[in-house]
Amino acid sequence: MSDTGTGTEAEALPREAPPLEDRPRDTLPQEALARAEAAPPLLPGPGQPPGSGPEGTTAVDTAPEPAESGEAPGLGSFLARAAAGTAVLTVLAAVLGLVRDQAIARYFGASDASDAFLIAWTVPEMAATLLIEDGMALLLVPAFSLALTRRADAEAAKGGGGGGGPDADPVRELVAATLPRLCVLLMAGAALLMAGAPWVVRVLAPGLADPDLAVDCTRLTAVTVLTFGITGYFSAALRAHRSFLPPAGVYVAYNIGIIGMTLALHSAWGVRAAAAGVAVGSLLMILTQIPTLLRLLPLARPRLGRLRKRASRTAPLLGLTVLAPVVLFVVSRQSQVLVERFLASTLPAGAISHLNYAQKVAQMPMVLSLMICTVTFPVVARAMADGNHEKARQRVERDLALAGMVVLLGTSVVLGYAPQIIEVLFQRGAFDTADTEATAQVMRVYAAGLLGHCLVGALSRPFFSSGRPTWFPAFAMGTGLLVTMGAGYALTYRFGVAGIATANAIGISTTALLLLMGLGTRVVPIRARAVALSLGRLAGAALVAGATGWAAAQLVPDAVLSLAAGCVLVPAVFFLTGLALRSPEVVSLLALIRRRFTDGR
């Protein structure tokens, strides 16, 4: 799947669709959305009979066939292709992330140096969540969706002529009204962080053995406040235009930058080379998206007077009343990491590193599951902008079921084969057997909270999809953070890093439960009980599969062979148990696969 979007298509869509082979494959024409969004799902929603689509028709039988005479493909087919392309790049980024972590573990192990780098890495981790993923996306995808709706309405009012010039384009006006101000704020934030790095390190890790090294690394990584902000802005704009490949590729570029700098300069700069790699990789993230962005949003210079008159109309979703709850939610969510590292800094050297490696690997299934929600978030935002709450409900329930199945399958693998995973990935160089055992123990505890992390990511998007101020996600996340802090202080000094991981799982699960109960009554009328029942069946399958893997892992002494066998055994047990528990998602997925093979497609 290639990205070949053009500025002409983004500016004004004609009434007659161009031939299908001439169209961008990761964008969807606006005039096709109304009928395309009615495409049935590949899998049923929670509580829906397996294999059934709307009005009792089967999802497989009613799936839209390839369009003839140049008609645009259905939204279901488009989302499947977009999710597949995003999945490929996400997996590639995850693999490169593992290579990055392996390089850091090989050269610095779990030591004072790696702890100092990870404290400095807290800055880009926080910036990534706030400026690339949750924060910027939750604010700007609805804003760009509304601007695109206004553009389409204006074109329809003109009879599809595509006139009006650049000054009349709500999308360009939104960019001109927001991007320059954002860049100024981000540059000021990066400069302030560089100047205040010593204070930041003292607050984040008061017990750190080498604070000066952490200060140097923090100053190198502070540039990500600017670069991640621009990356997040570009990603939101592209996703709103149904262009998902460049945003999915930014972490590939990011990890390449870190790996390259670490390999090239570790002997001369030590762990500072990895911190410099963070800065270089963040610049590559911007460059990855610029070509596609310029095709979809050609540069324009609207007149200042007209821009001021329309700024409040083109960016109504970016006011302080909408911005504040989003920022508070994202900061509260990322603060769980701050709490963990604050507590771990009082433990023996290497504790922060063990937590980091365990968390990075354990959360890979969660990252893969959330790509579904990332691709469909613009659809939910568009449905909310159009006032179609029923369409939004169906989409959200479908996403929760699919994301839950992916993350729980990954959870069962982590539970069964954590020691083998860590040994294969990290046990070399300065990372020894003791580090493997400690990290694997923490990773299994983290796995208990993976479903909670997935649900928080999936449920937060619908809350902010309408662009109206809502404080409930921040309240739920703040409550979960308080639970994490209380449990962390109670468990850390008795159970060490395992106690910190337990507190994380309890806190994030509390937040997920609150969001699940609150979404149906406040934003999208999802059937919370049906969703919970569906996820409960999948969780039961994950527990059985994980326990089976845990027992079987001991039978094969070689870590590589044991893990390879587990990658076959655990999914098989997961799906068989799902069938026995009559999980609609598992039943429907297996029926779909069987139908595809039977039909020879």
Side-chain angles (χ1 to χ4, degrees):
M1 185 168 61
S2 62
D3 183 85
T4 57
T6 62
T8 302
E9 185 177 24
E11 293 171 22
L13 293 164
R15 283 179 175 272
E16 296 297 327
L20 183 59
E21 60 270 16
D22 294 338
R23 291 184 168 224
R25 297 185 64 187
D26 68 337
T27 56
L28 189 65
Q30 300 293 330
E31 79 277 6
L33 289 176
R35 54 182 191 274
E37 288 177 351
L42 291 177
L43 295 177
Q48 191 175 356
S52 63
E55 299 180 3
T57 58
T58 62
V60 175
D61 292 340
T62 58
E65 296 295 327
E68 298 179 359
S69 304
E71 183 179 348
L75 184 62
S77 175
F78 163 74
L79 290 179
R81 293 198 310 273
T86 302
V88 170
L89 290 174
T90 300
V91 170
L92 178 57
V95 170
L96 289 173
L98 289 176
V99 174
R100 174 202 67 204
D101 292 342
Q102 286 173 335
I104 295 172
R106 180 181 181 86
Y107 294 122
F108 311 112
S111 62
D112 295 341
S114 62
D115 285 354
F117 168 71
L118 291 174
I119 290 300
W121 206 2
T122 303
V123 173
E125 282 183 323
M126 193 107 177
T129 303
L130 180 61
L131 300 175
I132 299 179
E133 300 301 333
D134 292 344
M136 197 72 75
L138 294 175
L139 284 169
L140 287 175
V141 169
F144 274 104
S145 297
L146 181 59
L148 287 168
T149 299
R150 287 174 172 169
R151 172 197 279 173
D153 291 343
E155 294 298 333
K158 294 176 183 178
D167 288 351
D169 188 346
V171 177
R172 283 201 185 99
E173 291 175 351
L174 175 61
V175 174
T178 56
L179 184 56
R181 299 175 184 177
L182 177 66
C183 289
V184 172
L185 290 175
L186 293 173
M187 285 189 289
L192 185 63
L193 181 58
M194 290 180 184
W199 179 82
V200 171
V201 170
R202 285 197 298 270
V203 170
L204 292 179
L208 198 63
D210 191 351
D212 291 337
L213 179 58
V215 169
D216 291 344
C217 292
T218 299
R219 284 177 171 149
L220 287 169
T221 60
V223 71
T224 58
V225 173
L226 173 62
T227 52
F228 280 9
I230 297 174
T231 298
Y233 191 99
F234 289 174
S235 296
L238 290 174
R239 286 168 179 165
H241 282 81
R242 270 79 176 181
S243 179
F244 296 97
L245 293 188
V250 297
Y251 287 108
V252 175
Y254 177 60
N255 287 324
I256 288 174
I258 300 176
I259 294 168
M261 293 293 288
T262 301
L263 295 179
L265 299 174
H266 72 274
S267 59
W269 291 6
V271 79
R272 294 177 181 86
V278 171
V280 172
S282 68
L283 291 173
L284 296 178
M285 297 170 88
I286 298 175
L287 297 178
T288 298
Q289 300 184 96
I290 284 180
T292 305
L293 188 79
L294 291 180
R295 287 198 298 268
L296 293 176
L297 293 172
L299 294 178
R301 295 181 180 178
R303 290 193 296 271
L304 183 60
R306 180 171 296 184
L307 175 61
R308 287 175 176 172
K309 290 180 180 179
R310 297 185 179 180
S312 60
R313 183 168 63 88
T314 57
L317 305 182
L318 302 179
L320 181 61
T321 56
V322 177
L323 178 64
V326 172
V327 171
L328 185 58
F329 166 77
V330 174
V331 170
S332 298
R333 184 179 182 185
Q334 192 61 27
S335 293
Q336 286 207 320
V337 177
L338 303 183
V339 171
E340 291 179 20
R341 291 181 179 171
F342 180 88
L343 294 173
S345 69
T346 63
L347 298 176
I352 296 176
S353 299
H354 294 149
L355 283 168
N356 173 74
Y357 295 133
Q359 189 179 62
K360 289 293 189 299
V361 179
Q363 288 192 354
M364 284 182 62
M366 183 267 294
V367 172
L368 291 173
S369 67
L370 285 180
M371 71 183 181
I372 300 169
C373 304
T374 299
V375 169
T376 59
F377 179 44
V379 179
V380 177
R382 187 64 179 265
M384 296 297 291
D386 293 339
N388 194 336
H389 291 153
E390 178 61 20
K391 184 185 299 180
R393 180 192 67 78
Q394 293 176 358
R395 183 73 262 168
V396 170
E397 289 186 355
R398 241 172 266 150
D399 292 348
L400 291 174
L402 290 173
M405 182 169 62
V406 172
V407 76
L408 286 170
L409 175 58
T411 299
S412 61
V413 176
V414 170
L415 289 174
Y417 290 87
Q420 289 76 14
I421 293 172
I422 297 299
E423 181 177 346
V424 170
L425 293 178
F426 297 115
Q427 189 173 312
R428 57 185 60 85
F431 198 96
D432 57 21
T433 303
D435 292 325
T436 295
E437 294 176 355
T439 304
Q441 179 186 12
V442 176
M443 193 166 76
R444 275 176 168 155
V445 178
Y446 264 130
L450 286 182
L451 179 60
H453 281 287
C454 174
L455 291 179
V456 169
L459 291 167
S460 60
R461 286 166 168 79
F463 272 102
F464 298 109
S465 60
S466 64
R468 293 191 299 269
T470 173
W471 290 94
F472 188 80
F475 161 76
M477 195 68 247
T479 302
L481 180 62
L482 290 176
V483 171
T484 299
M485 293 172 62
Y489 277 106
L491 299 174
T492 298
Y493 298 106
R494 182 173 180 181
F495 300 103
V497 289
I500 297 175
T502 302
N504 178 286
I506 296 173
I508 201 67
S509 299
T510 300
T511 300
L513 183 60
L514 291 174
L515 290 175
L516 181 61
M517 293 189 300
L519 181 63
T521 59
R522 288 172 170 81
V523 184
V524 181
I526 65 168
R527 297 165 296 177
R529 182 173 298 179
V531 170
L533 179 61
S534 175
L535 293 175
R537 290 172 174 169
L538 291 170
L543 288 175
V544 173
T548 302
W550 197 326
Q554 313 301 322
L555 304 178
V556 182
D558 184 79
V560 175
L561 294 179
S562 180
L563 182 57
C567 290
V568 176
L569 174 65
V570 171
V573 175
F574 177 85
F575 286 116
L576 289 175
T577 307
L579 282 175
L581 296 176
R582 301 185 62 81
S583 168
E585 292 72 35
V586 172
V587 173
S588 181
L589 178 62
L590 294 180
L592 177 63
I593 294 173
R594 184 173 61 251
R595 182 72 62 88
R596 294 294 186 187
F597 278 106
T598 302
D599 295 344
R601 293 183 292 171

